[in-house]
Amino acid sequence: MESNEQILGRSALSRARRVVVKIGSALLTNDGRGLDEPAIGGWVDQIAALHQQGIEVVLVSSGAVAAGMVRLGWQVRPSAVHELQAAAAVGQNGLTQCYEQHFARHGMLTAQILLTHDDLSNRKRYLNALSALRTLVEMRVVPVINENDTVVTDEIRFGDNDTLGALVANLLEADALLLLTDQEGLFDADPRHNPNAQMIAEGRADDPRLAAVAGSGGALGRGGMSTKVRAAQLAARSGAVTVIASGRQPDVINRIMAGEALGTLLRPDQVPMAARKRWLAGQLQVRGTLVLDAGAVKVLRDKGSSLLAVGVRSVQGSFKRGDMVVCVDEQGASVAKGLVNYGADEARQLAGQPSHQIEAILGYVEAHELIHRDNLVVI
Ligand SMILES: Nc1ncnc2c1ncn2[C@@H]1O[C@H](COP(=O)(O)OP(=O)(O)O)[C@@H](O)[C@H]1O
Ligand SMILES: N[C@@H](CCC(=O)OP(=O)(O)O)C(=O)O
Protein backbone atom coordinates (compact mmCIF):
# COMPACT_ATOMS: atom_id res chain seq x y z
CA MET A 1 0.00 0.00 0.00
CA GLU A 2 1.19 3.52 -0.79
CA SER A 3 1.98 5.82 2.12
CA ASN A 4 0.47 9.29 2.36
CA GLU A 5 3.81 10.75 1.33
CA GLN A 6 3.79 8.68 -1.84
CA ILE A 7 0.20 9.56 -2.63
CA LEU A 8 0.95 13.25 -2.23
CA GLY A 9 4.51 13.17 -3.58
CA ARG A 10 6.13 12.52 -6.95
CA SER A 11 3.77 9.71 -7.84
CA ALA A 12 0.87 12.20 -7.64
CA LEU A 13 2.49 13.94 -10.60
CA SER A 14 2.53 10.87 -12.79
CA ARG A 15 -1.19 10.42 -12.09
CA ALA A 16 -2.11 14.08 -12.64
CA ARG A 17 -4.87 14.80 -15.16
CA ARG A 18 -4.86 18.61 -14.94
CA VAL A 19 -1.88 20.84 -14.37
CA VAL A 20 -1.23 24.57 -14.15
CA VAL A 21 2.18 25.57 -15.55
CA LYS A 22 3.40 29.03 -14.52
CA ILE A 23 6.33 30.52 -16.39
CA GLY A 24 7.97 33.37 -14.50
CA SER A 25 9.39 36.65 -15.74
CA ALA A 26 12.94 35.86 -14.64
CA LEU A 27 12.90 32.87 -16.99
CA LEU A 28 10.77 34.12 -19.88
CA THR A 29 12.79 37.26 -20.26
CA ASN A 30 16.16 35.64 -19.73
CA ASP A 31 16.70 37.83 -16.68
CA GLY A 32 15.07 40.95 -18.06
CA ARG A 33 16.36 40.90 -21.65
CA GLY A 34 13.06 40.71 -23.60
CA LEU A 35 11.06 37.59 -24.43
CA ASP A 36 13.14 34.46 -24.95
CA GLU A 37 11.17 33.21 -27.97
CA PRO A 38 13.12 30.01 -28.70
CA ALA A 39 12.69 28.97 -25.06
CA ILE A 40 8.95 29.68 -25.27
CA GLY A 41 8.82 27.42 -28.34
CA GLY A 42 10.46 24.66 -26.27
CA TRP A 43 7.92 24.89 -23.42
CA VAL A 44 5.08 24.91 -25.92
CA ASP A 45 6.46 21.69 -27.47
CA GLN A 46 6.50 20.09 -24.02
CA ILE A 47 2.96 21.22 -23.23
CA ALA A 48 1.78 19.89 -26.59
CA ALA A 49 3.32 16.53 -25.70
CA LEU A 50 1.38 16.48 -22.39
CA HIS A 51 -1.79 17.31 -24.30
CA GLN A 52 -1.14 14.34 -26.55
CA GLN A 53 -1.23 12.17 -23.43
CA GLY A 54 -4.64 13.61 -22.52
CA ILE A 55 -3.37 15.81 -19.68
CA GLU A 56 -5.12 19.17 -19.48
CA VAL A 57 -2.70 22.10 -19.23
CA VAL A 58 -3.46 25.66 -18.25
CA LEU A 59 -0.64 28.12 -18.69
CA VAL A 60 -0.02 31.14 -16.50
CA SER A 61 2.56 33.31 -18.23
CA SER A 62 4.31 36.46 -17.11
CA GLY A 63 6.43 38.51 -19.48
CA ALA A 64 4.06 41.25 -20.65
CA VAL A 65 6.06 44.10 -19.14
CA ALA A 66 9.34 42.78 -20.54
CA ALA A 67 7.89 42.23 -24.02
CA GLY A 68 6.35 45.72 -23.93
CA MET A 69 9.65 47.30 -22.94
CA VAL A 70 11.32 45.80 -26.01
CA ARG A 71 8.51 46.95 -28.32
CA LEU A 72 8.61 50.45 -26.85
CA GLY A 73 12.40 50.59 -27.01
CA TRP A 74 12.74 51.09 -23.24
CA GLN A 75 16.07 49.92 -21.84
CA VAL A 76 15.26 50.15 -18.15
CA ARG A 77 12.23 48.68 -16.40
CA PRO A 78 10.14 51.65 -15.25
CA SER A 79 9.20 51.97 -11.61
CA ALA A 80 6.09 54.14 -12.10
CA VAL A 81 3.01 51.94 -12.00
CA HIS A 82 1.30 53.68 -14.94
CA GLU A 83 4.36 53.07 -17.11
CA LEU A 84 4.50 49.43 -16.07
CA GLN A 85 0.84 49.17 -17.00
CA ALA A 86 1.46 50.75 -20.39
CA ALA A 87 4.35 48.40 -21.08
CA ALA A 88 2.24 45.40 -20.00
CA ALA A 89 -0.60 46.44 -22.32
CA VAL A 90 1.74 46.72 -25.31
CA GLY A 91 3.65 43.58 -24.40
CA GLN A 92 0.64 41.36 -23.75
CA ASN A 93 -0.07 41.44 -27.50
CA GLY A 94 3.42 40.18 -28.29
CA LEU A 95 3.19 37.51 -25.61
CA THR A 96 -0.15 36.24 -26.89
CA GLN A 97 1.08 36.25 -30.47
CA CYS A 98 4.19 34.32 -29.53
CA TYR A 99 2.24 31.55 -27.76
CA GLU A 100 -0.39 31.45 -30.49
CA GLN A 101 2.22 30.92 -33.21
CA HIS A 102 4.04 28.20 -31.35
CA PHE A 103 0.90 26.29 -30.36
CA ALA A 104 -0.34 26.60 -33.98
CA ARG A 105 2.69 24.51 -35.05
CA HIS A 106 1.00 21.69 -33.11
CA GLY A 107 -2.45 22.50 -34.51
CA MET A 108 -3.52 23.78 -31.07
CA LEU A 109 -5.58 26.84 -30.19
CA THR A 110 -4.86 29.22 -27.31
CA ALA A 111 -7.12 31.65 -25.46
CA GLN A 112 -6.00 34.81 -23.72
CA ILE A 113 -7.38 35.24 -20.19
CA LEU A 114 -6.51 38.29 -18.10
CA LEU A 115 -7.48 38.03 -14.44
CA THR A 116 -6.93 39.86 -11.18
CA HIS A 117 -6.74 38.28 -7.73
CA ASP A 118 -10.00 40.08 -6.94
CA ASP A 119 -11.76 38.34 -9.81
CA LEU A 120 -11.12 35.07 -8.04
CA SER A 121 -12.37 36.19 -4.65
CA ASN A 122 -15.61 37.68 -5.98
CA ARG A 123 -18.09 34.80 -6.05
CA LYS A 124 -19.90 35.74 -9.23
CA ARG A 125 -16.78 36.47 -11.22
CA TYR A 126 -15.18 33.34 -9.78
CA LEU A 127 -17.97 31.22 -11.22
CA ASN A 128 -17.83 33.09 -14.53
CA ALA A 129 -14.09 32.55 -14.81
CA LEU A 130 -14.54 28.91 -13.82
CA SER A 131 -17.15 28.16 -16.46
CA ALA A 132 -15.19 29.97 -19.20
CA LEU A 133 -11.96 28.18 -18.31
CA ARG A 134 -13.64 24.83 -17.92
CA THR A 135 -15.27 25.19 -21.33
CA LEU A 136 -11.94 26.07 -22.94
CA VAL A 137 -10.17 23.15 -21.30
CA GLU A 138 -12.94 20.76 -22.36
CA MET A 139 -12.53 22.01 -25.95
CA ARG A 140 -8.80 21.22 -25.67
CA VAL A 141 -7.88 24.89 -26.03
CA VAL A 142 -4.88 26.03 -23.93
CA PRO A 143 -5.78 29.05 -21.79
CA VAL A 144 -2.84 31.44 -21.45
CA ILE A 145 -3.45 33.49 -18.30
CA ASN A 146 -1.77 36.64 -17.06
CA GLU A 147 -2.69 39.35 -14.61
CA ASN A 148 -4.91 42.09 -15.96
CA ASP A 149 -2.18 44.64 -15.35
CA THR A 150 -4.22 47.63 -16.55
CA VAL A 151 -6.55 47.49 -13.57
CA VAL A 152 -4.24 46.45 -10.75
CA THR A 153 -1.42 48.21 -9.01
CA ASP A 154 -0.21 45.93 -6.22
CA GLU A 155 0.28 42.87 -8.37
CA ILE A 156 2.21 44.71 -11.04
CA ARG A 157 4.35 46.44 -8.44
CA PHE A 158 5.24 43.15 -6.76
CA GLY A 159 5.22 41.22 -10.05
CA ASP A 160 3.60 38.18 -8.56
CA ASN A 161 2.07 35.67 -10.91
CA ASP A 162 2.83 32.81 -8.49
CA THR A 163 -0.26 33.64 -6.44
CA LEU A 164 -2.34 33.87 -9.60
CA GLY A 165 -1.07 30.42 -10.63
CA ALA A 166 -2.14 28.99 -7.26
CA LEU A 167 -5.56 30.64 -7.40
CA VAL A 168 -6.08 29.17 -10.88
CA ALA A 169 -5.00 25.74 -9.54
CA ASN A 170 -7.65 26.15 -6.79
CA LEU A 171 -10.26 27.33 -9.27
CA LEU A 172 -9.79 24.40 -11.64
CA GLU A 173 -8.96 21.92 -8.88
CA ALA A 174 -5.74 21.09 -10.69
CA ASP A 175 -3.67 18.16 -9.48
CA ALA A 176 -0.38 20.01 -9.83
CA LEU A 177 1.13 23.47 -10.05
CA LEU A 178 4.50 23.78 -11.80
CA LEU A 179 6.34 27.01 -11.10
CA LEU A 180 9.08 27.33 -13.70
CA THR A 181 11.74 29.86 -12.85
CA ASP A 182 15.44 30.64 -13.34
CA GLN A 183 16.70 28.50 -10.40
CA GLU A 184 16.82 24.72 -10.08
CA GLY A 185 14.38 24.91 -7.17
CA LEU A 186 14.06 26.30 -3.67
CA PHE A 187 17.44 26.52 -1.92
CA ASP A 188 18.17 26.87 1.78
CA ALA A 189 19.53 30.37 0.94
CA ASP A 190 19.39 32.58 -2.16
CA PRO A 191 21.88 30.88 -4.57
CA ARG A 192 22.56 34.21 -6.26
CA HIS A 193 24.17 35.41 -3.05
CA ASN A 194 25.29 32.20 -1.39
CA PRO A 195 27.29 29.74 -3.53
CA ASN A 196 27.03 27.06 -0.84
CA ALA A 197 23.24 27.07 -0.84
CA GLN A 198 21.70 23.58 -1.10
CA MET A 199 18.53 22.75 -2.97
CA ILE A 200 15.59 21.39 -0.96
CA ALA A 201 14.31 18.35 -2.85
CA GLU A 202 11.00 17.94 -1.07
CA GLY A 203 8.93 19.29 1.78
CA ARG A 204 5.46 20.03 3.06
CA ALA A 205 3.94 23.17 1.57
CA ASP A 206 2.94 24.45 4.99
CA ASP A 207 6.33 23.86 6.68
CA PRO A 208 7.16 27.24 8.30
CA ARG A 209 10.90 26.64 7.79
CA LEU A 210 10.40 26.98 4.03
CA ALA A 211 8.96 30.46 4.30
CA ALA A 212 12.03 31.41 6.32
CA VAL A 213 14.55 30.25 3.69
CA ALA A 214 12.55 31.75 0.82
CA GLY A 215 13.48 35.23 2.03
CA SER A 216 12.25 38.26 0.12
CA GLY A 217 12.04 39.37 -3.52
CA GLY A 218 13.96 38.16 -6.59
CA ALA A 219 16.55 40.08 -8.57
CA LEU A 220 14.03 41.75 -10.88
CA GLY A 221 12.23 43.22 -7.89
CA ARG A 222 9.61 40.45 -8.04
CA GLY A 223 8.18 38.01 -5.57
CA GLY A 224 11.19 35.67 -5.59
CA MET A 225 10.84 32.38 -3.71
CA SER A 226 8.61 33.71 -0.94
CA THR A 227 5.63 34.09 -3.29
CA LYS A 228 6.36 30.60 -4.64
CA VAL A 229 6.25 29.01 -1.19
CA ARG A 230 3.07 30.92 -0.42
CA ALA A 231 1.63 29.80 -3.77
CA ALA A 232 2.40 26.19 -2.84
CA GLN A 233 0.48 26.67 0.43
CA LEU A 234 -2.50 28.10 -1.44
CA ALA A 235 -2.42 25.34 -4.06
CA ALA A 236 -2.27 22.72 -1.28
CA ARG A 237 -5.63 23.92 0.03
CA SER A 238 -7.32 22.29 -2.95
CA GLY A 239 -4.96 19.31 -2.85
CA ALA A 240 -2.48 20.32 -5.57
CA VAL A 241 1.18 19.32 -5.44
CA THR A 242 3.61 22.15 -6.34
CA VAL A 243 6.99 21.81 -8.02
CA ILE A 244 9.42 24.72 -8.28
CA ALA A 245 11.95 23.99 -11.01
CA SER A 246 14.21 25.50 -13.61
CA GLY A 247 12.57 26.03 -16.99
CA ARG A 248 16.01 25.71 -18.54
CA GLN A 249 16.36 22.00 -17.79
CA PRO A 250 15.78 20.04 -20.99
CA ASP A 251 12.26 18.62 -21.26
CA VAL A 252 11.58 19.79 -17.70
CA ILE A 253 7.77 19.75 -17.82
CA ASN A 254 7.47 16.22 -19.15
CA ARG A 255 10.15 14.84 -16.86
CA ILE A 256 8.48 16.32 -13.78
CA MET A 257 5.10 15.02 -14.85
CA ALA A 258 6.62 11.57 -15.34
CA GLY A 259 7.63 11.67 -11.65
CA GLU A 260 11.35 12.40 -12.09
CA ALA A 261 12.98 14.03 -9.06
CA LEU A 262 13.65 17.48 -10.51
CA GLY A 263 13.30 20.76 -8.62
CA THR A 264 11.61 21.20 -5.24
CA LEU A 265 8.40 19.31 -4.57
CA LEU A 266 6.02 20.87 -2.04
CA ARG A 267 3.21 18.55 -1.10
CA PRO A 268 -0.17 19.15 0.54
CA ASP A 269 -0.82 17.52 3.89
CA GLN A 270 -4.11 15.94 2.87
CA VAL A 271 -5.19 13.63 0.06
CA PRO A 272 -6.55 15.76 -2.80
CA MET A 273 -10.23 14.87 -2.51
CA ALA A 274 -10.39 15.62 1.21
CA ALA A 275 -8.47 18.86 0.70
CA ARG A 276 -10.73 20.00 -2.16
CA LYS A 277 -13.92 19.30 -0.30
CA ARG A 278 -12.67 21.01 2.84
CA TRP A 279 -11.51 23.97 0.78
CA LEU A 280 -14.86 24.30 -0.99
CA ALA A 281 -16.83 23.83 2.21
CA GLY A 282 -14.74 26.42 4.01
CA GLN A 283 -15.16 28.95 1.23
CA LEU A 284 -18.27 30.76 2.22
CA GLN A 285 -21.18 31.30 4.51
CA VAL A 286 -24.34 29.51 3.53
CA ARG A 287 -26.84 31.98 2.06
CA GLY A 288 -29.85 29.81 1.30
CA THR A 289 -31.44 26.37 1.26
CA LEU A 290 -32.64 24.13 -1.55
CA VAL A 291 -35.11 21.41 -0.53
CA LEU A 292 -34.55 18.35 -2.73
CA ASP A 293 -36.88 15.50 -3.64
CA ALA A 294 -35.88 11.92 -2.84
CA GLY A 295 -34.60 11.23 -6.38
CA ALA A 296 -32.22 14.20 -6.31
CA VAL A 297 -30.94 13.23 -2.85
CA LYS A 298 -30.18 9.74 -4.14
CA VAL A 299 -28.23 10.81 -7.27
CA LEU A 300 -26.23 13.39 -5.33
CA ARG A 301 -25.30 10.84 -2.66
CA ASP A 302 -24.85 7.74 -4.79
CA LYS A 303 -23.53 9.10 -8.06
CA GLY A 304 -21.98 12.46 -7.19
CA SER A 305 -24.18 14.01 -9.90
CA SER A 306 -24.79 17.70 -10.49
CA LEU A 307 -27.99 19.10 -9.03
CA LEU A 308 -30.64 19.81 -11.68
CA ALA A 309 -33.57 22.15 -11.07
CA VAL A 310 -36.02 19.32 -11.67
CA GLY A 311 -35.04 17.74 -8.34
CA VAL A 312 -35.66 20.89 -6.29
CA ARG A 313 -38.92 21.12 -4.35
CA SER A 314 -38.54 24.58 -2.87
CA VAL A 315 -36.06 27.39 -2.34
CA GLN A 316 -35.45 29.33 0.88
CA GLY A 317 -33.40 32.44 1.55
CA SER A 318 -32.02 35.19 -0.54
CA PHE A 319 -28.84 34.40 -2.44
CA LYS A 320 -27.01 35.42 -5.59
CA ARG A 321 -25.37 33.41 -8.33
CA GLY A 322 -22.11 32.03 -6.94
CA ASP A 323 -23.25 31.96 -3.30
CA MET A 324 -22.98 28.84 -1.18
CA VAL A 325 -26.30 27.12 -0.47
CA VAL A 326 -27.15 24.03 1.53
CA CYS A 327 -29.22 21.22 0.02
CA VAL A 328 -31.56 19.40 2.42
CA ASP A 329 -33.97 16.49 2.03
CA GLU A 330 -37.69 16.87 2.65
CA GLN A 331 -37.19 16.14 6.34
CA GLY A 332 -34.68 18.98 6.59
CA ALA A 333 -31.53 16.82 6.91
CA SER A 334 -28.44 18.27 5.22
CA VAL A 335 -27.35 16.44 2.08
CA ALA A 336 -24.82 18.71 0.35
CA LYS A 337 -23.41 22.21 0.04
CA GLY A 338 -22.45 23.96 -3.17
CA LEU A 339 -22.07 27.08 -5.24
CA VAL A 340 -25.35 27.85 -6.96
CA ASN A 341 -25.49 28.93 -10.62
CA TYR A 342 -28.67 31.03 -10.27
CA GLY A 343 -29.86 33.63 -7.76
CA ALA A 344 -32.77 32.83 -5.42
CA ASP A 345 -35.50 34.45 -7.58
CA GLU A 346 -34.42 32.52 -10.66
CA ALA A 347 -33.98 29.31 -8.65
CA ARG A 348 -37.59 29.63 -7.40
CA GLN A 349 -38.83 29.91 -10.96
CA LEU A 350 -36.75 26.93 -12.05
CA ALA A 351 -37.56 24.60 -9.13
CA GLY A 352 -39.13 21.38 -10.38
CA GLN A 353 -38.55 22.24 -14.03
CA PRO A 354 -36.50 20.24 -16.55
CA SER A 355 -33.25 21.86 -17.70
CA HIS A 356 -34.41 22.27 -21.31
CA GLN A 357 -37.09 24.67 -20.04
CA ILE A 358 -34.57 27.10 -18.49
CA GLU A 359 -34.36 29.32 -21.56
CA ALA A 360 -38.15 29.47 -21.98
CA ILE A 361 -38.60 30.40 -18.30
CA LEU A 362 -35.75 32.90 -17.81
CA GLY A 363 -34.96 33.98 -21.37
CA TYR A 364 -31.31 32.85 -20.98
CA VAL A 365 -29.27 29.88 -19.81
CA GLU A 366 -26.48 30.50 -17.32
CA ALA A 367 -25.83 26.77 -16.91
CA HIS A 368 -27.84 23.56 -17.36
CA GLU A 369 -27.41 22.53 -13.76
CA LEU A 370 -28.39 24.45 -10.64
CA ILE A 371 -25.17 23.33 -8.95
CA HIS A 372 -22.38 21.73 -10.97
CA ARG A 373 -20.97 18.56 -9.38
CA ASP A 374 -17.49 20.12 -9.25
CA ASN A 375 -18.90 22.83 -7.00
CA LEU A 376 -20.84 20.44 -4.76
CA VAL A 377 -19.78 18.72 -1.55
CA VAL A 378 -21.95 15.88 -0.23
CA ILE A 379 -22.07 16.03 3.59
N1 LIG B 1 15.96 30.38 -1.12
C1 LIG B 1 16.01 30.67 -2.42
N2 LIG B 1 16.16 29.68 -3.36
C2 LIG B 1 16.18 29.97 -4.67
N3 LIG B 1 16.05 31.21 -5.17
C3 LIG B 1 15.89 32.24 -4.31
C4 LIG B 1 15.85 32.02 -2.88
N4 LIG B 1 15.65 33.21 -2.27
C5 LIG B 1 15.55 34.14 -3.25
N5 LIG B 1 15.70 33.57 -4.48
C6 LIG B 1 15.65 34.33 -5.75
O1 LIG B 1 14.40 34.15 -6.38
C7 LIG B 1 14.57 34.38 -7.78
C8 LIG B 1 13.39 33.81 -8.54
O2 LIG B 1 12.26 34.59 -8.25
P1 LIG B 1 11.65 35.60 -9.33
O3 LIG B 1 12.73 36.53 -9.82
O4 LIG B 1 10.43 36.19 -8.73
O5 LIG B 1 11.29 34.57 -10.47
P2 LIG B 1 10.03 34.46 -11.45
O6 LIG B 1 10.00 35.69 -12.26
O7 LIG B 1 10.36 33.21 -12.20
O8 LIG B 1 8.79 34.32 -10.60
C9 LIG B 1 15.89 33.72 -8.08
O9 LIG B 1 16.52 34.26 -9.20
C10 LIG B 1 16.69 33.90 -6.78
O10 LIG B 1 17.64 34.94 -6.86
N1 LIG C 1 2.01 40.46 -15.08
C1 LIG C 1 3.32 41.04 -15.22
C2 LIG C 1 4.28 40.71 -14.11
C3 LIG C 1 4.11 39.39 -13.41
C4 LIG C 1 5.42 38.79 -12.91
O1 LIG C 1 6.49 39.22 -13.32
O2 LIG C 1 5.34 37.77 -12.06
P1 LIG C 1 6.51 36.70 -11.72
O3 LIG C 1 6.74 35.92 -12.96
O4 LIG C 1 5.85 35.84 -10.67
O5 LIG C 1 7.75 37.37 -11.23
C5 LIG C 1 3.93 40.70 -16.60
O6 LIG C 1 3.36 39.90 -17.34
O7 LIG C 1 4.94 41.28 -16.93
Coordinates of all heavy atoms in Angstrom, one line a residue, residues 4 20 37 44 57 72 75 86 104 115 136 140 154 160 167 178 185 192 209 239 258 271 283 302 340 353 357 370 373:
N4 N 1.0 8.0 2.7 CA 0.5 9.3 2.4 C 1.5 10.1 1.6 O 1.1 10.8 0.7 CB 0.1 10.0 3.7 CG -1.3 10.5 3.6 OD1 -2.1 10.0 2.8 ND2 -1.6 11.4 4.5
V20 N -1.4 23.1 -13.9 CA -1.2 24.6 -14.2 C 0.3 24.8 -14.2 O 1.0 24.5 -13.3 CB -1.8 25.5 -13.0 CG1 -1.5 26.9 -13.3 CG2 -3.3 25.3 -12.9
E37 N 12.1 33.9 -27.1 CA 11.2 33.2 -28.0 C 11.5 31.7 -28.2 O 10.6 30.9 -28.2 CB 11.0 34.0 -29.3 CG 10.3 35.3 -29.0 CD 9.4 35.7 -30.2 OE1 9.0 34.9 -31.0 OE2 9.2 36.9 -30.3
V44 N 6.3 25.2 -25.2 CA 5.1 24.9 -25.9 C 5.2 23.5 -26.4 O 4.2 22.7 -26.3 CB 4.8 25.9 -27.1 CG1 3.8 25.5 -28.0 CG2 4.5 27.3 -26.5
V57 N -3.7 21.1 -19.7 CA -2.7 22.1 -19.2 C -3.3 23.5 -19.3 O -3.8 23.9 -20.4 CB -1.4 22.0 -20.1 CG1 -0.3 22.9 -19.5 CG2 -0.9 20.6 -20.1
L72 N 8.6 49.0 -27.0 CA 8.6 50.5 -26.9 C 10.0 51.0 -26.9 O 10.2 52.2 -26.9 CB 8.0 50.8 -25.5 CG 6.4 50.6 -25.4 CD1 6.0 50.6 -24.0 CD2 5.7 51.6 -26.2
Q75 N 14.9 50.7 -22.3 CA 16.1 49.9 -21.8 C 15.9 49.5 -20.4 O 16.4 48.4 -20.0 CB 17.4 50.7 -22.0 CG 17.7 51.2 -23.4 CD 17.9 50.1 -24.4 OE1 18.4 49.1 -24.0 NE2 17.4 50.3 -25.6
A86 N 1.4 50.5 -18.9 CA 1.5 50.8 -20.4 C 2.3 49.7 -21.1 O 1.9 49.1 -22.1 CB 2.0 52.1 -20.6
A104 N 0.2 26.9 -32.6 CA -0.3 26.6 -34.0 C 0.5 25.6 -34.7 O 0.0 24.8 -35.5 CB -0.5 27.9 -34.8
L115 N -6.7 38.1 -15.7 CA -7.5 38.0 -14.4 C -6.8 38.9 -13.4 O -5.6 39.1 -13.5 CB -7.5 36.6 -13.9 CG -8.3 35.5 -14.7 CD1 -8.0 34.2 -14.1 CD2 -9.8 35.9 -14.6
L136 N -13.1 26.1 -22.1 CA -11.9 26.1 -22.9 C -11.2 24.8 -22.8 O -10.8 24.1 -23.8 CB -11.0 27.2 -22.6 CG -11.6 28.6 -23.0 CD1 -10.8 29.7 -22.3 CD2 -11.5 28.8 -24.5
R140 N -10.2 21.5 -25.4 CA -8.8 21.2 -25.7 C -8.1 22.5 -26.1 O -7.1 22.4 -26.9 CB -8.6 20.1 -26.7 CG -9.4 18.8 -26.4 CD -8.9 18.0 -25.3 NE -7.6 17.4 -25.5 CZ -6.8 17.2 -24.5 NH1 -7.1 17.5 -23.3 NH2 -5.6 16.7 -24.8
D154 N -1.1 46.7 -7.1 CA -0.2 45.9 -6.2 C 0.5 44.8 -6.9 O 1.7 44.6 -6.8 CB -1.0 45.3 -5.1 CG -1.3 46.4 -4.0 OD1 -0.8 47.5 -4.2 OD2 -2.1 46.1 -3.1
D160 N 3.8 39.5 -9.1 CA 3.6 38.2 -8.6 C 2.5 37.4 -9.3 O 1.4 37.6 -9.1 CB 3.2 38.3 -7.1 CG 2.7 37.0 -6.5 OD1 3.1 36.0 -7.1 OD2 2.0 37.0 -5.5
L167 N -4.1 30.4 -7.4 CA -5.6 30.6 -7.4 C -6.2 29.9 -8.6 O -7.3 29.4 -8.4 CB -5.9 32.1 -7.4 CG -5.4 32.9 -6.2 CD1 -5.6 34.4 -6.4 CD2 -6.2 32.5 -5.0
L178 N 3.1 23.7 -11.5 CA 4.5 23.8 -11.8 C 4.9 25.2 -11.9 O 4.4 26.0 -12.8 CB 4.8 23.1 -13.1 CG 4.4 21.6 -13.3 CD1 5.1 21.1 -14.6 CD2 4.8 20.8 -12.1
G185 N 15.4 25.2 -8.1 CA 14.4 24.9 -7.2 C 14.5 25.9 -6.0 O 15.1 26.9 -6.2
R192 N 21.9 33.1 -5.6 CA 22.6 34.2 -6.3 C 23.6 34.9 -5.3 O 24.5 35.5 -5.8 CB 21.6 35.3 -6.7 CG 20.7 34.9 -7.9 CD 20.0 36.2 -8.3 NE 18.9 35.8 -9.2 CZ 18.9 36.3 -10.5 NH1 19.8 37.1 -11.0 NH2 17.8 36.0 -11.2
R209 N 9.5 26.4 8.1 CA 10.9 26.6 7.8 C 11.1 27.1 6.3 O 12.1 27.7 6.0 CB 11.7 25.4 8.1 CG 11.8 25.1 9.6 CD 12.3 23.7 9.8 NE 11.5 22.7 9.2 CZ 11.8 21.4 9.2 NH1 12.8 20.9 9.8 NH2 11.0 20.5 8.7
G239 N -5.6 20.6 -2.7 CA -5.0 19.3 -2.9 C -3.9 19.2 -3.9 O -3.4 18.1 -4.2
A258 N 6.4 13.0 -15.3 CA 6.6 11.6 -15.3 C 7.1 11.1 -14.0 O 7.3 9.9 -13.7 CB 7.6 11.2 -16.4
V271 N -4.9 14.2 1.4 CA -5.2 13.6 0.1 C -6.1 14.6 -0.7 O -6.9 15.3 -0.1 CB -5.8 12.2 0.1 CG1 -4.8 11.2 0.6 CG2 -7.1 12.2 1.0
Q283 N -15.2 27.7 2.0 CA -15.2 28.9 1.2 C -16.1 30.1 1.7 O -15.7 31.2 1.8 CB -15.6 28.6 -0.2 CG -14.5 28.0 -1.0 CD -13.4 29.0 -1.4 OE1 -13.7 29.9 -2.2 NE2 -12.3 28.9 -0.8
D302 N -25.4 9.0 -4.2 CA -24.9 7.7 -4.8 C -24.0 8.0 -6.0 O -23.1 7.2 -6.3 CB -26.0 6.8 -5.2 CG -26.8 6.4 -4.0 OD1 -26.4 6.7 -2.9 OD2 -27.9 5.8 -4.2
V340 N -24.2 27.9 -6.1 CA -25.3 27.8 -7.0 C -25.2 28.7 -8.2 O -24.6 29.8 -8.2 CB -26.6 28.2 -6.1 CG1 -26.5 29.7 -5.7 CG2 -27.9 27.9 -6.8
Q353 N -38.5 22.2 -12.6 CA -38.5 22.2 -14.0 C -37.4 21.5 -14.7 O -36.2 21.6 -14.2 CB -38.5 23.7 -14.5 CG -39.6 24.6 -14.0 CD -41.0 24.1 -14.5 OE1 -41.1 23.5 -15.6 NE2 -42.1 24.4 -13.7
Q357 N -36.1 23.6 -20.2 CA -37.1 24.7 -20.0 C -36.5 26.0 -19.5 O -37.1 27.0 -19.5 CB -38.2 24.3 -19.0 CG -39.2 23.2 -19.5 CD -40.0 23.8 -20.7 OE1 -40.2 25.0 -20.8 NE2 -40.6 22.9 -21.5
L370 N -28.3 23.4 -11.7 CA -28.4 24.4 -10.6 C -27.1 24.5 -9.8 O -26.6 25.6 -9.5 CB -29.5 24.1 -9.7 CG -30.4 25.2 -9.1 CD1 -30.8 26.2 -10.1 CD2 -31.6 24.6 -8.4
R373 N -21.5 19.5 -10.3 CA -21.0 18.6 -9.4 C -19.6 19.0 -8.9 O -19.2 18.7 -7.7 CB -21.0 17.1 -10.0 CG -20.1 17.0 -11.2 CD -20.0 15.5 -11.6 NE -19.1 15.4 -12.7 CZ -19.5 15.7 -14.0 NH1 -20.7 16.0 -14.3 NH2 -18.6 15.5 -15.0

